[in-house]
Amino acid sequence: MVIAVKLRAVFLVLLLGLSVISAGCIGSSSQKGAMKEETLIIFHAGSLSLPLQQLEKEFSSYAEKNLGVKVTFQDEASGSVKACRKVTDLHMDADIVATADYTLIPQLLVPNYTDFYVLFATNQIVIAFTNKSKYANEINSTNWYEILAKPGVTFGFSDPNQDPCGYRSVMVMKLADLYYGKPIFETLVEKNTNIYANGTHVYAPKEIEVKSDKVVIRPKETDLVGLVESGSLDYFFIYKSVAEQHHLRYITLPDEINLGDFNKANYYAQVSITLGSTGKTIKAKPIVYGVTVLKNAPHRELAIQFLKFWLGKEGRKVFEENYQDFLNPPIAFGNVPKEIKPLVKVEG
């Protein structure tokens, strides 16, 4: 009887032990199978919104299968100047900053916030509109400035102090003075805003003022898309890729003024602009986009993996599907991470 009781006690102890071990195995198996989750924070130019959405979706699938990480994205679209100032002035955390003007990165972020950057895509300025726009069937590449000046016609561009598309649009109108030999800048810009020029040098006051209802200015170029689509704005200066992405009608401008021709770099450089927001002076130049991973990126390792995906064949395909020409190869400056070196041409 005593032996039987002892045997039962031993059996219960063993059974309990096995249950604990079994539970432990299940727990460790569950922990092992749990996928790491990370959120990448990206401050980017508004004109990159659509290609980035597609690229992020594809990278999320790639990361889950190949990196064992479930990736989500926190995107903040804005003018590129504002994107940089979120880091420098507001000290906001971000993993990646991508700008429509690569020169903003060395001007504003190097060396305190990043030590490398990559030039990856190009674009050009066009004038976009819809069938609802006044004189939509008359405007062309030779008479656009006359159409914009007509009574009742409205046009827009983004804020030069916040957005490269804004200061580029203003410089396009100044370049038009030189190309056409007519006072286009005075007629379209100076008469309607407090932006002014001294010779070929343009000044954008810190607080931009609009003097008439002819001109509409918004923080970033993509803010104007809806106004044109609804018919409340006739025309706006925008990147060709954005006009294509939104299926807008547009006219191309002569290569001498559209900032899309690398062979015209010296011609563009005749015009410059000083921004009241930063005090910086920027020369007109061919449009080139830039991207960097910040030094203190909360998820720097994963951000570099995303940048590698971005600069590889997957990224190239996405940008070209979104009507944006990709540099071949992208050009990198500074302390370039080893992970992306095979994908870029390192300069300086």
Side-chain angles (χ1 to χ4, degrees), residues 35-36 38-40 52-75 302 305-306 309:
M35 186 169 288
K36 187 178 180 182
E38 291 191 12
T39 298
L40 289 179
L52 276 185
Q53 286 172 17
Q54 184 179 337
L55 188 65
E56 289 166 0
K57 184 178 179 181
E58 294 189 12
F59 180 72
S60 294
S61 298
Y62 169 85
E64 204 162 320
K65 293 175 184 175
N66 298 280
L67 305 178
V69 182
K70 186 174 182 181
V71 186
T72 55
F73 291 87
Q74 180 182 323
D75 289 337
L302 183 61
Q305 287 299 320
F306 179 49
F309 191 83

Side-chain angles (χ1 to χ4, degrees), residues 127 139-150 155 173 176 179-185 187-188 214 237 251 253 257:
I127 298 175
I139 192 168
N140 58 46
S141 298
T142 62
N143 69 4
W144 60 270
Y145 55 91
E146 295 171 344
I147 297 295
L148 296 189
K150 282 182 177 292
F155 70 95
M173 286 182 271
Y179 182 71
Y180 297 102
K182 296 181 179 180
I184 294 166
F185 183 88
T187 301
L188 298 181
K214 185 174 193 63
F237 289 83
I251 60 162
L253 299 169
I257 67 176

Side-chain angles (χ1 to χ4, degrees), residues 70-210:
K70 186 174 182 181
V71 186
T72 55
F73 291 87
Q74 180 182 323
D75 289 337
E76 293 197 20
S78 67
S80 297
V81 176
K82 186 176 181 180
C84 292
R85 295 184 71 189
K86 286 179 182 178
V87 176
T88 60
D89 297 6
L90 302 180
H91 306 293
M92 295 172 65
D93 285 336
D95 293 293
I96 290 174
V97 176
T99 62
D101 182 352
Y102 80 89
T103 63
L104 294 174
I105 299 176
Q107 277 187 3
L108 302 176
L109 298 180
V110 175
N112 293 334
Y113 303 95
T114 189
D115 56 6
F116 84 97
Y117 55 97
V118 182
L119 288 57
F120 68 92
T122 64
N123 224 319
Q124 65 176 270
I125 298 291
V126 300
I127 298 175
F129 58 101
T130 70
N131 291 333
K132 301 173 186 176
S133 304
K134 296 182 183 69
Y135 306 102
N137 294 324
E138 295 181 33
I139 192 168
N140 58 46
S141 298
T142 62
N143 69 4
W144 60 270
Y145 55 91
E146 295 171 344
I147 297 295
L148 296 189
K150 282 182 177 292
V153 174
T154 58
F155 70 95
F157 53 88
S158 54
D159 185 348
N161 280 312
Q162 299 189 48
D163 187 32
C165 192
Y167 59 69
R168 284 168 171 155
S169 300
V170 169
M171 288 194 288
V172 160
M173 286 182 271
K174 192 63 196 173
L175 282 167
D177 278 8
L178 305 179
Y179 182 71
Y180 297 102
K182 296 181 179 180
I184 294 166
F185 183 88
E186 178 186 352
T187 301
L188 298 181
V189 180
E190 289 186 334
K191 284 186 177 179
N192 297 299
T193 75
N194 63 341
I195 301 168
Y196 64 97
N198 183 1
T200 58
H201 190 90
V202 179
Y203 297 85
K206 189 173 183 179
E207 299 296 330
I208 302 294
E209 296 174 6
V210 176

